[in-house]
Amino acid sequence: MITLRCVVERITYQNPENGYTVLRAAVRNYKELVTVVGCIPCAAPGEGMTVTGVWTNHPSYGPQFAAESVERRMPETEEEIVSYLSSGILKGIGPATAQRLADRFGADTLAVIEEEPERLQTVKGITARRAMELSAAFRELTGLKRVMEFLARNELPVPLAMQLYRAYGADALPRLREDPYLLTGDAYGVDFSTMDEIALSMGFDGDSPCRVEAALTYELSHNLNNGHVFLPRDKLLSAAAQLISADTDALETALDGLLTRGVIVQEQVANVQACYLLRLYQAETRVARRLLSLRDAPRQTGKNVDRIITEMERQQGIAYAPHQRQAVTLAARSGVLLLTGGPGTGKTTSTRGIVTLLERMGLTVLLLAPTGRAAKRMSELCSREAQTIHRCLGMTFNELTGEVTFKKNEKDLLEADAVIVDEMSMVDLPLMDALLAALKPGCRLVMVGDPDQLPSVGPGNVLGDILRSGSVASVTLTEVFRQAEQSAIIRNAHAVNRGQSPDLKNKQNDFFFLCRRSPDRLVQTVVDLCRTRLPENMGIPAGQIQVLSPTRKGETGTVSLNRALQAALNPPSPGKRQKAWGDMVFRVGDRVMQTKNNYDVIWQKDSGEAGSGIFNGDVGTVEDIDLSGELVTIRFDDRVSVYTADLLGQLDMAYAMTVHKAQGSEYRAVVLVSAPAAPSLLVRGVLYTAITRARELLVMVGDDVIPGQMAENDRRTRRYSGLRRRLKQGGESHGHE
């Protein structure tokens, strides 16, 4: 990081909504003005700053200094004060008034405006009322800057200042000093332990009400990452007590207060007092209500369905199996249909039949999937365009609230008569809520998925809950077709699903096991497979081979594997540019993966279409690194993005990835690591999901005992969710406290 001391000369651009600013500044020992960019709200000429960041090279505007932290200094000299006030920072003060104020009060001008506004009346043109208005406006302005100083001093993200300012105005800093834990809320997302350390250093007691309440809401938010929609009251109290070492009475009192104010909602679910964050409670009740409403809505049932299906069979030269025909028929006659089944059972054929039938009925059909990779695969299999749910709904990110919003909603519905969603196991509760909100009354909804796959990363168990509720029409495909049965991949996947160990004898055409109990030998074998053995012996290029491991950690985890694979598949060479970042080195040609949602990254397609947003799990290739090393160009399929150096921390190598990250994707060849890992990862669902990622070839490398142990271990981490119950009870809420 580089630090520059500068004085603002002029403002080139400023976004009043998020504080993003482009300014020109005079920097000591620099002959020319420097362009500084970053979150610097209310910056004005004459203001002094100390900015810390990195140099970047904008493709259109040239060298820029990207500020990551900013320490601000109010103008001190008369010249700086005149420049500052003349900039329009305070409405109603132009150059002439600014000069008169400086002439009258000198270096004390700003202090007088803030603390002694009555003295301003001695300046020509300023009335008593105007003096008070100027003082109030200036105090609000300095309030924002002091919030920024508070954040910078405590090493917190400075852009939070704009969110706080928008929410609380001039009261932002007093509110923050009164309750620093408000930054741990969903809108701001500061980690509880970070904020707790700051608050305790400010003198807050260990049992202060704001600390205890924040611990409770934090535990509910944190457990969304574990898939839970709610927590039982006793588990919530226990987790919060462990987090902050508070006594039970204080926690009970705080929880009752949060319930009274509606921050948390408590409801009886089965035999549990379920505690929800309000937004999750509302999402769950809406999903249940809207699903049942779609199910029950009047619609055209399709009188000639059987005849059309028979005609489709004749034209396509196929004959649907009984369950496949049932699924296609029900899609025409039901408002909501759930189609499930494992590999080789004909889900794709059934889905294509459903699409064709609905289109022949004159309906407008949308094909959707939760991820870009899943949407691409759906497009290829159905020979029609498929989109991600996020893109279809017009996802945007509200920088002021920190929330994801969608342009398509109950006020602007999708123009579709039928929507088919693939890979439903990956759809979490908030995304399902957003999708259902955008469907017009009477729209058909077909959900396709495999309930034995790993559940969604986000909260809820939507597919499983809908299936087990029995509240909507469903068809489960169980027959493995003869052609599919010839695949050892598919046979072994079904064996694992039944709790049996996969067949590890190498008498199969597409499934092989190589026993390597030593971690060193295991890693070396994986490298050899990707570098030479599969490309030379099987004709599968390294770029079409995906290494999977249950875990990131350890000698056989993805971190270690990626280092070895990068060294073998993309070693350094003269003329090949690279960029060091932390423990990683990014090199042109590297396969990389985005590890968090970033709604601001700009991308452009080869067609010229542009947009923003690169999301957790998106995989791309490093296409170029500029000479300065500060700009890295990455291609994500047909989208190209330019990453500044500060964004590289959001990337990971993707030669190897965890099974969880591979959900919704399919690869020509998979090399699967079979080695000891955390017990929670050595379970049937992980092995089943890994095997079903391979399309043509799967090679398992490692300990021959592990696959059997994983197949036998059907332990599924229970997810606390009330959707199944709500659907069974007709979407109603009961026992709301």
Side-chain angles (χ1 to χ4, degrees):
M1 291 288 178
I2 301 168
T3 298
L4 303 178
R5 288 179 58 86
C6 59
V7 176
V8 180
E9 289 288 326
R10 65 176 182 268
I11 305 298
T12 303
Y13 169 81
Q14 191 158 69
N15 186 330
E17 297 298 316
N18 59 21
Y20 181 80
T21 301
V22 180
L23 59 84
R24 300 279 282 167
V27 181
R28 189 180 301 170
N29 299 326
Y30 283 70
K31 293 181 180 179
E32 298 181 354
L33 296 180
V34 169
T35 300
V36 179
V37 301
C39 181
I40 317 173
C42 303
E47 189 176 355
M49 296 180 182
T50 301
V51 292
T52 301
V54 295
W55 284 103
T56 65
N57 192 26
H58 193 281
S60 301
Y61 303 113
Q64 298 181 337
F65 190 80
E68 295 193 10
S69 67
V70 183
E71 292 180 24
R72 303 173 70 163
R73 171 182 61 78
M74 295 301 286
E76 296 172 348
T77 68
E78 287 189 30
E79 184 181 352
E80 288 176 350
I81 289 170
V82 170
S83 178
Y84 179 73
L85 293 176
S86 299
S87 69
I89 195 79
L90 289 178
K91 191 176 178 182
I93 296 184
T97 304
Q99 189 63 60
R100 286 197 293 272
L101 285 165
D103 290 343
R104 177 71 178 84
F105 303 113
D108 296 330
T109 299
L110 300 181
V112 171
I113 295 174
E114 183 174 12
E115 301 166 9
E116 302 175 272
E118 63 279 355
R119 293 177 61 189
L120 299 178
Q121 300 173 58
T122 61
V123 176
K124 182 182 177 183
I126 299 181
T127 64
R129 178 181 175 183
R130 182 64 186 136
M132 300 311 293
E133 289 174 348
L134 286 172
S135 183
F138 187 73
R139 284 198 301 274
E140 196 165 292
L141 187 65
T142 55
L144 174 61
K145 292 178 180 178
R146 284 168 184 154
V147 170
M148 292 180 65
E149 290 168 3
F150 174 91
L151 296 171
R153 188 165 59 251
N154 290 289
E155 298 181 348
L156 295 168
V158 173
L160 291 177
M162 287 301 295
Q163 290 178 247
L164 289 162
Y165 180 70
R166 291 284 177 187
Y168 304 111
D171 294 330
L173 187 59
R175 282 296 305 269
L176 201 51
R177 285 174 172 161
E178 180 187 321
D179 180 12
Y181 292 97
L182 68 84
L183 291 179
T184 63
D186 286 343
Y188 308 108
V190 178
D191 184 70
F192 181 86
S193 60
T194 300
M195 210 63 239
D196 195 41
E197 186 177 337
I198 293 169
L200 294 174
S201 71
M202 292 168 62
F204 280 80
D205 294 332
D207 59 353
S208 63
C210 63
R211 181 175 190 249
V212 180
E213 287 187 358
L216 289 163
T217 56
Y218 173 78
E219 282 297 340
L220 287 176
S221 292
H222 175 70
N223 274 282
L224 298 179
N225 300 323
N226 296 324
H228 300 306
V229 180
F230 68 79
L231 286 181
R233 182 180 176 111
D234 58 342
K235 290 187 180 295
L236 172 58
L237 291 168
S238 174
Q242 191 171 353
L243 180 67
I244 61 171
S245 303
D247 65 70
T248 305
D249 288 345
L251 286 161
E252 292 273 9
T253 301
L255 179 53
D256 289 340
L258 291 167
L259 291 171
T260 301
R261 300 202 307 275
V263 177
I264 293 175
V265 176
Q266 183 172 296
E267 186 174 279
Q268 188 78 20
V269 175
N271 299 317
V272 170
Q273 289 296 322
C275 291
Y276 293 81
L277 288 171
L278 177 62
R279 63 183 177 87
L280 271 298
Y281 173 81
Q282 292 172 333
E284 190 176 88
T285 53
R286 284 193 299 259
V287 166
R289 186 176 67 251
R290 285 167 172 160
L291 264 179
L292 297 177
S293 177
L294 287 176
R295 180 196 69 181
D296 298 335
R299 64 182 46 79
Q300 174 193 349
T301 56
K303 297 178 182 178
N304 302 314
V305 168
D306 289 330
R307 180 179 58 79
I308 297 173
I309 294 174
T310 301
E311 190 178 305
M312 286 162 49
E313 288 179 313
R314 181 180 57 78
Q315 290 176 346
Q316 296 170 19
I318 61 171
Y320 293 118
H323 281 101
Q324 289 180 315
R325 190 177 185 105
Q326 181 191 12
V328 178
T329 304
L330 278 174
R333 294 175 175 168
S334 307
V336 181
L337 172 67
L338 183 56
L339 174 62
T340 64
T345 58
K347 287 200 305 295
T348 299
T349 300
S350 302
T351 303
R352 283 199 296 254
I354 290 170
V355 174
T356 302
L357 175 61
L358 295 177
E359 288 179 341
R360 292 197 180 186
M361 290 171 60
L363 305 181
T364 304
V365 182
L366 272 179
L367 303 186
L368 303 177
T371 68
R373 286 174 289 170
K376 184 180 179 183
R377 181 167 166 264
M378 193 183 189
S379 294
E380 293 167 352
L381 294 174
C382 293
S383 303
R384 290 168 176 80
E385 183 190 4
Q387 306 175 63
T388 65
I389 300 172
H390 297 84
R391 181 185 174 194
C392 180
L393 297 180
M395 183 195 69
T396 57
F397 183 66
N398 190 324
E399 294 177 342
L400 302 181
T401 63
E403 294 178 337
V404 174
T405 58
F406 297 94
K407 294 177 183 177
K408 293 293 180 181
N409 50 42
E410 52 273 290
K411 296 179 181 177
D412 184 11
L413 301 172
L414 291 169
E415 291 297 325
D417 304 311
V419 171
I420 301 175
V421 184
D422 198 13
E423 296 288 354
M424 267 298 299
S425 62
M426 300 180 70
V427 177
D428 63 19
L429 183 69
L431 186 57
M432 190 66 177
D433 181 35
L435 174 62
L436 292 175
L439 302 187
K440 64 186 183 182
C443 179
R444 287 172 169 81
L445 176 64
V446 179
M447 299 170 285
V448 184
D450 184 348
D452 296 313
Q453 298 280 1
L454 292 169
S456 60
V457 175
N461 187 17
V462 175
L463 174 62
D465 281 351
I466 296 173
L467 182 62
R468 288 194 299 273
S469 75
S471 58
V472 304
S474 67
V475 177
T476 298
L477 304 176
T478 56
E479 180 187 352
V480 180
F481 289 91
R482 188 178 302 169
Q483 187 177 355
E485 248 183 348
Q486 295 172 1
S487 165
I489 293 172
I490 290 176
R491 290 200 307 273
N492 281 313
H494 285 280
V496 167
N497 212 20
R498 294 190 298 268
Q500 302 167 2
S501 175
D503 182 1
L504 304 182
K505 298 174 183 175
N506 290 328
K507 297 178 180 178
Q508 306 167 100
N509 60 346
D510 61 355
F511 189 109
F512 300 93
F513 182 83
L514 303 176
C515 188
R516 303 287 190 272
R517 294 193 177 96
S518 158
D520 290 344
R521 286 194 66 210
L522 187 157
V523 172
Q524 188 55 55
T525 300
V526 169
V527 169
D528 290 343
L529 285 165
C530 296
R531 179 173 55 189
T532 54
R533 293 171 66 174
L534 296 185
E536 292 177 5
N537 300 332
M538 306 292 289
I540 302 175
Q544 297 179 21
I545 304 167
Q546 183 60 58
V547 177
L548 299 181
S549 173
T551 183
R552 281 181 53 83
K553 301 176 181 177
E555 294 175 276
T556 58
T558 58
V559 174
S560 176
L561 285 164
N562 271 316
R563 279 198 295 266
L565 287 163
Q566 183 193 35
L569 301 177
N570 192 29
S573 65
K576 185 182 288 186
R577 293 177 190 162
Q578 61 182 43
K579 168 71 177 177
W581 184 262
D583 296 333
M584 288 189 292
V585 175
F586 295 95
R587 199 169 290 137
V588 171
D590 277 333
R591 191 190 307 175
V592 295
M593 177 172 56
Q594 181 76 10
T595 60
K596 63 179 292 187
N597 292 337
N598 189 320
Y599 305 95
D600 298 323
V601 176
I602 305 297
W603 51 258
Q604 187 168 356
K605 292 187 175 181
D606 298 334
S607 64
E609 179 188 349
S612 64
I614 301 293
F615 304 111
N616 186 4
D618 285 353
V619 174
T621 303
V622 177
E623 210 167 64
D624 188 33
I625 299 174
D626 78 329
L627 288 170
S628 71
E630 299 297 336
L631 295 177
V632 179
T633 302
I634 302 172
R635 176 175 288 276
F636 297 92
D637 293 324
D638 61 342
R639 299 169 299 161
V640 176
S641 295
V642 178
Y643 278 49
T644 53
D646 58 303
L647 294 177
L648 296 181
Q650 299 179 9
L651 294 173
D652 204 353
M653 291 296 156
Y655 297 100
M657 66 174 68
T658 63
V659 177
H660 285 80
K661 288 290 188 184
Q663 278 182 271
S665 297
E666 194 177 72
Y667 310 98
R668 186 177 174 187
V670 167
V671 176
L672 175 60
V673 170
S674 170
S680 61
L681 297 172
L682 298 181
V683 296
R684 184 184 301 172
V686 171
L687 181 57
Y688 177 77
T689 300
I691 292 173
T692 54
R693 298 311 89 201
R695 187 170 67 248
E696 293 182 19
L697 177 68
L698 187 136
V699 183
M700 193 177 297
V701 184
D703 190 329
D704 56 352
V705 176
I706 298 290
Q709 292 178 342
M710 293 178 75
E712 289 175 6
N713 186 358
D714 193 26
R715 187 183 70 181
R716 302 191 186 197
T717 304
R718 181 183 176 186
R719 292 192 165 197
Y720 293 112
S721 163
L723 181 60
R724 176 187 176 188
R725 165 185 157 275
R726 290 190 202 284
L727 288 167
K728 289 177 72 74
Q729 295 180 343
E732 299 297 320
S733 302
H734 301 278
H736 178 182
E737 299 178 14

